Amino acid sequence: MKKQLLASVVAGLGVVGSAHAVHVNPDGLGQVLLYPYYTVQDGYDTYVHVVNTTDSAKAVKVRFLEGKNSQEVLDFNLYLSPKDEWTGVITRTETGAQISSQDTSCIAPRQLTTPEAFRTTLFSKDSVKDAARTREGYLEIIEMGDLPVDVAAAATHTSAGVPANCALVRTFAGTVTLLPASGGLYGFNTVINVEDGLSTTVDAVALDDFWSADLASHTATGTTTPSLNNASGEAHILNGNEIVNATFPGDPVDSVSAVLARTNVINDYVVGLDFDALTDWVITFPTKRFYVNPGVLSTSVDTAARAPFSQKWLTDKSQSCDTIGITYYDREEKTEVGEGDFSPLPDTQEAALCNEVNTISIVANGGEGGLLGAAFTNAQIELAAGFNAGWMDIGFISPAAETGVTSLEGVNVGGLPVIGFALSSFTNGTLEVEGVNVLSNYGGSSAHKGVRAIFQPL
């Protein structure tokens, strides 16, 4: 029903395109889930949830990526029963981070009742290469298809609450094949700091019709596929009340970048005041690695990044930077331009985001911040005096971001592919219960809003 409706809408708008074009599903269900953030810094743990809302048992690839350069630190195959929900938790170790789960849904190569440590193999040549780098990042979950009848039966939970035969499922996990993909996945992370009494939930961004003809690629464990470059190569970009169709046959990841692209991200901030407010923004570029890491795409070269990103990954500095503009307002429309208050500044001395996950602490004038305690993806914006609450606009202003990506039809999409949220906390030390002051902490998150720039040829 959903795909028929989308096709009808596209036809009604006079747009010629495929019903199997990747798009962001505003209902939150899809074949691919992009989780903007995980962290185990500063007392936080991150709980991961993924839900299969369909009547089909299905396989998904779960991939964790560290935050500086989206290098994979762990992946596994997860096999979900119909209507199944899987949960796991990322926790801190003495040197890095790990994932564990008491959930019974089948996992290959093994269940995670014993934790599995995140790995450093893929960034071992960088200047920043110790295991602590794995403590901040994000994750992606990609559907690999509805399971064949016998494997589906083995993966399905019995009346005892456990799958019928995970050994059979793990044997199938080594199979490379095409499977029908029906989508219907949703997910979220809960970032929680028990000691500080803070918790917030962040939804995953859902991409639907990711797979061409709804045929997904099931791969063995320990492989880097499927990835976001396995998209169909066609994009449906919702632009106001219009759906723009764009085809990217060369590097299909461009279709994913096109549907996620924004020229600006916008959200609130609140700092200080009488309740010691703190605000961090998380800005994540989930496709950046395909443009800045040499050799990842067929068009990659060793000397330069490819638009919409500006700078190839520099192993000696462990960074790849894209310049930004910062404008912020208080709640009475007073405004400031904030690039001069951004830190740390790269060699160019311009405000820039230099990681694939960027954890930006917004702090009061002369104050300190760091709500999420980031140590590898951290940046800071110090507000002018008198600014404590309002909203901020961060623009992606590099020439490469303005160049964007261009489709076969000549559709140009400017900006950078971005997801993320703002997180704020409040501390109330004056709440009185039965004559005793009780410390009360509150927190909440809000997904970023954005601006698009799409040029369509006449």
Side-chain angles (χ1 to χ4, degrees):
M1 181 65 180
K2 168 182 64 65
K3 293 178 175 61
Q4 291 174 348
L5 178 60
L6 179 60
S8 299
V9 171
V10 172
L13 291 169
V15 180
V16 178
S18 168
H20 301 288
V22 64
H23 61 278
V24 176
N25 187 345
D27 292 331
L29 301 173
Q31 296 174 344
V32 172
L33 302 176
L34 303 175
Y35 298 70
Y37 198 59
Y38 77 77
T39 183
V40 295
Q41 300 284 30
D42 204 25
Y44 285 94
D45 296 328
T46 301
Y47 288 79
V48 182
H49 298 249
V50 59
V51 179
N52 173 19
T53 67
T54 75
D55 293 323
S56 300
K58 59 180 67 234
V60 301
K61 181 75 73 175
V62 181
R63 178 174 292 118
F64 300 89
L65 303 118
E66 54 79 34
K68 292 194 70 65
N69 187 30
S70 294
Q71 295 293 350
E72 182 180 312
V73 295
L74 192 71
D75 78 69
F76 53 83
N77 288 7
L78 170 64
Y79 296 87
L80 297 168
S81 290
K83 312 298 186 183
D84 191 13
E85 178 169 6
W86 179 86
T87 62
V89 59
I90 308 169
T91 54
R92 187 182 179 104
T93 67
E94 184 175 341
T95 58
Q98 63 185 9
I99 178 76
S100 62
S101 176
Q102 301 306 309
D103 197 291
T104 61
S105 298
C106 298
I107 294 175
R110 67 171 182 85
Q111 299 300 108
L112 291 171
T113 48
T114 299
E116 185 70 28
F118 287 172
R119 286 85 183 271
T120 64
T121 307
L122 295 183
F123 56 85
S124 61
K125 295 181 180 180
D126 288 349
S127 59
V128 179
K129 58 187 177 182
D130 60 273
R133 177 169 154 177
T134 67
R135 290 173 177 161
E136 305 160 36
Y138 69 105
L139 63 144
E140 60 188 28
I141 292 181
I142 301 176
E143 180 179 4
M144 297 191 295
D146 298 340
L147 296 173
V149 174
D150 59 333
V151 184
T156 298
H157 288 68
T158 68
S159 58
V162 296
N165 190 346
C166 280
L168 187 152
V169 174
R170 277 190 276 273
T171 298
F172 174 79
T175 304
V176 178
T177 188
L178 293 177
L179 296 173
S182 58
L185 298 171
Y186 80 84
F188 60 93
N189 279 351
T190 299
V191 180
I192 184 168
N193 188 319
V194 174
E195 184 174 339
D196 287 347
L198 288 172
S199 174
T200 194
T201 295
V202 180
D203 283 345
V205 174
L207 303 179
D208 213 2
D209 292 319
F210 174 84
W211 290 104
S212 179
D214 283 338
L215 283 176
S217 175
H218 181 279
T219 63
T221 57
T223 62
T224 57
T225 57
S227 74
L228 297 182
N229 197 40
N230 290 114
S232 67
E234 292 193 59
H236 280 158
I237 309 164
L238 182 61
N239 186 34
N241 63 353
E242 177 186 21
I243 294 177
V244 179
N245 186 72
T247 308
F248 300 90
D251 291 307
V253 72
D254 286 353
S255 62
V256 177
S257 293
V259 301
L260 297 175
R262 302 291 189 275
T263 60
N264 302 67
V265 290
I266 299 167
N267 218 324
D268 265 33
Y269 68 86
V270 56
V271 296
L273 301 176
D274 294 332
F275 36 80
D276 296 327
L278 298 171
T279 296
D280 276 11
W281 281 27
V282 172
I283 295 178
T284 299
F285 303 122
T287 63
K288 183 175 179 178
R289 67 190 186 275
F290 296 97
Y291 300 91
V292 305
N293 291 359
V296 172
L297 292 180
S298 59
T299 53
S300 297
V301 293
D302 289 340
T303 57
R306 185 168 74 89
F309 291 97
S310 302
Q311 184 182 50
K312 77 164 189 174
W313 177 252
L314 304 175
T315 57
D316 59 334
K317 297 181 179 180
S318 295
Q319 67 180 31
S320 164
C321 297
D322 292 273
T323 53
I324 59 172
I326 305 167
T327 304
Y328 55 90
Y329 300 80
D330 68 9
R331 291 177 178 171
E332 309 302 332
E333 298 90 49
K334 184 180 176 182
T335 185
E336 285 280 347
V337 175
E339 289 91 333
D341 301 318
F342 186 89
S343 64
L345 291 174
D347 293 343
T348 60
Q349 295 301 297
E350 298 177 294
L353 300 180
C354 296
N355 304 299
E356 305 204 9
V357 173
N358 301 273
T359 311
I360 306 169
S361 295
I362 300 171
V363 302
N365 188 258
E368 297 181 353
L371 174 57
L372 290 166
F376 294 89
T377 64
N378 54 302
Q380 179 173 290
I381 298 172
E382 182 179 343
L383 302 172
F387 286 80
N388 292 93
W391 64 279
M392 181 174 291
D393 181 328
I394 293 181
F396 306 126
I397 61 174
S398 70
E402 292 176 357
T403 297
V405 294
T406 301
S407 76
L408 184 67
E409 302 88 352
V411 175
N412 177 260
V413 185
L416 297 179
V418 60
I419 58 177
F421 60 96
L423 173 65
S424 295
S425 71
F426 313 91
T427 300
N428 182 356
T430 62
L431 181 66
E432 188 174 296
V433 178
E434 296 181 353
V436 178
N437 283 349
V438 177
L439 180 65
S440 300
N441 294 332
Y442 310 91
S445 59
S446 173
H448 291 320
K449 293 71 186 170
V451 178
R452 297 183 189 271
I454 302 175
F455 169 81
Q456 300 180 69
L458 298 176

